[in-house]
Amino acid sequence: MYYGFDVGGTKIEFGAFDTTLTRVATERLPTPLKDYDQFIKVIAEQVEKYDEILGCVGQVGVGLPGTERVDDGSLLTANIPSVNGRHLRHDLERRLQRPVRIDNDANCFVLSEAWDDSLRDSPSVMGLILGTGFGGGLVYRGEVFSGRNHVAGEVGHMRIPIDAWFWLGDNPPLFQCGCGQQGCLESYISGRGFEGLYQHRYGQFKPAVEIIENFYADDKTASDFIDFFIELLAICLGNIFTAHDPHTVVLGGGLSNFERLYQELPQRISRYLLPIARCPEIRRAKYGATGGVRGAAFLNLQS
């Protein structure tokens, strides 16, 4: 039995999955944001409860918005202060007397998608989240690839490529990123970047939902901006795909629901690839909000 915990800033979602990857249990619990001992207790008691209910010793995976420091195993996360700087995996393993896998939520997202029946045989799957921020993860032959420092797939903190910078025009905005750097892709092709670029170009703020609604209502300003943004996105993704050459790309996050992306991106991206390369298949995420808990549980799967 595979147990997954999707830890967010307000709630922890638990799911138990059997060997056919069918979900057999679901619970939601409040996230202890300030008390580390309480956080450990919540996770451990949930595991012990379902061990008894299901008559097994479940394998445990935890997904959260953070990363383990590779050299000492301490956790780096801004959204869950109770576990920041703590050796969460070690402490859970000691309490539960079994191995525990921990990974960031973007990796769990793509792992969930990669283990769907339609993608299980794909040699490589890249997941990209076009949400408030922009990030991603990589799965090779059914397993997350985290890299030396557990930051593989953190494409949101690549700098904007020169051809994209030129596309921004004569007065390109140099946006500040939350990581402390300037010019990160996250600041331009995320939902927040979408809104910021609109404001920069037209001198007024509009939420992304309204811009897209105006596009569907044949508003010329919105249509011009959407055309501009999709080209910018294509340039940036072309650079990412040249580096990683994934077989399949799965998009998640709020902007991934914009159908126009799937109509336009494959043809536009092809112009920014090497002449011998083809654009990978680009598809919308299948599991949505449930992908995090699925992916956390599947951290213990072996391909």
Side-chain angles (χ1 to χ4, degrees):
M1 198 69 66
Y2 302 104
Y3 297 162
F5 292 88
D6 181 19
V7 181
T10 58
K11 66 173 177 63
I12 298 172
E13 183 174 357
F14 168 80
F17 298 79
D18 64 18
T19 54
T20 70
L21 309 188
T22 300
R23 191 166 182 169
V24 298
T26 299
E27 281 200 39
R28 289 186 176 183
L29 307 157
T31 304
L33 290 177
K34 297 181 179 180
D35 189 330
Y36 182 64
D37 291 338
Q38 181 63 23
F39 187 96
I40 294 290
K41 181 180 179 182
V42 165
I43 299 291
E45 288 185 349
Q46 195 74 358
V47 170
E48 291 158 0
K49 172 183 174 180
Y50 278 93
D51 278 355
E52 184 174 350
I53 291 172
L54 299 171
C56 68
V57 177
Q59 299 184 61
V60 179
V62 179
L64 41 70
T67 304
E68 280 189 311
R69 291 181 176 89
V70 69
D71 294 324
D72 68 2
S74 64
L75 200 63
L76 175 65
T77 175
N79 295 342
I80 309 163
S82 59
V83 302
N84 189 43
R86 300 282 192 157
H87 295 79
L88 178 61
R89 178 168 50 84
H90 175 268
D91 293 338
L92 283 173
E93 288 179 339
R94 183 172 57 184
R95 169 71 186 264
L96 294 170
Q97 294 297 297
R98 72 193 75 180
V100 173
R101 294 285 303 276
I102 292 179
D103 216 323
N104 72 56
D105 46 9
N107 284 343
C108 291
F109 155 73
V110 65
L111 188 62
S112 170
E113 296 293 329
W115 276 86
D116 181 71
D117 287 344
S118 64
L119 286 179
R120 202 171 297 182
D121 293 329
S122 181
S124 62
V125 180
M126 171 178 278
L128 297 174
I129 300 174
L130 297 165
T132 303
F134 172 66
L138 302 165
V139 170
Y140 294 127
R141 301 197 183 280
E143 296 186 11
V144 171
F145 177 74
S146 296
R148 161 66 174 84
N149 295 295
H150 295 169
V151 296
E154 288 284 2
V155 291
H157 299 291
M158 294 170 57
R159 303 299 185 270
I160 191 165
I162 189 67
D163 44 355
W165 185 250
F166 290 151
W167 180 250
L168 291 174
D170 294 335
N171 181 32
L174 187 57
F175 291 145
Q176 186 79 26
C177 181
C179 73
Q181 302 291 337
Q182 292 180 315
C184 292
L185 289 183
E186 175 165 294
S187 301
Y188 295 88
I189 59 175
S190 62
R192 185 173 57 245
F194 182 87
E195 295 168 343
L197 287 170
Y198 185 94
Q199 184 172 14
H200 178 80
R201 288 174 69 84
Y202 303 109
Q204 59 178 321
F205 174 81
K206 288 185 184 294
V209 171
E210 183 178 342
I211 297 169
I212 292 172
E213 287 175 349
N214 290 345
F215 167 80
Y216 283 120
D218 295 324
D219 176 83
K220 186 178 186 308
T221 299
S223 296
D224 289 346
F225 177 72
I226 292 295
D227 182 72
F228 159 82
F229 183 82
I230 292 179
E231 190 71 15
L232 177 69
L233 183 59
I235 296 169
C236 296
L237 294 186
N239 277 262
I240 292 169
F241 295 170
T242 296
H244 297 283
D245 198 20
H247 289 78
T248 306
V249 176
V250 181
L251 302 184
L255 283 179
S256 73
N257 296 315
F258 184 30
E259 188 60 36
R260 188 77 169 191
L261 297 182
Y262 305 94
Q263 299 166 2
E264 295 280 343
L265 281 176
Q267 178 178 349
R268 295 195 189 209
I269 287 171
S270 294
R271 300 199 293 266
Y272 301 104
L273 300 174
L274 291 172
I276 62 169
R278 296 181 180 179
C279 184
E281 177 192 7
I282 301 174
R283 59 166 68 181
R284 186 183 304 177
K286 181 175 180 178
Y287 292 98
T290 66
V293 71
R294 277 174 47 89
F298 296 172
L299 288 170
N300 283 291
L301 289 172
Q302 300 294 319
S303 58

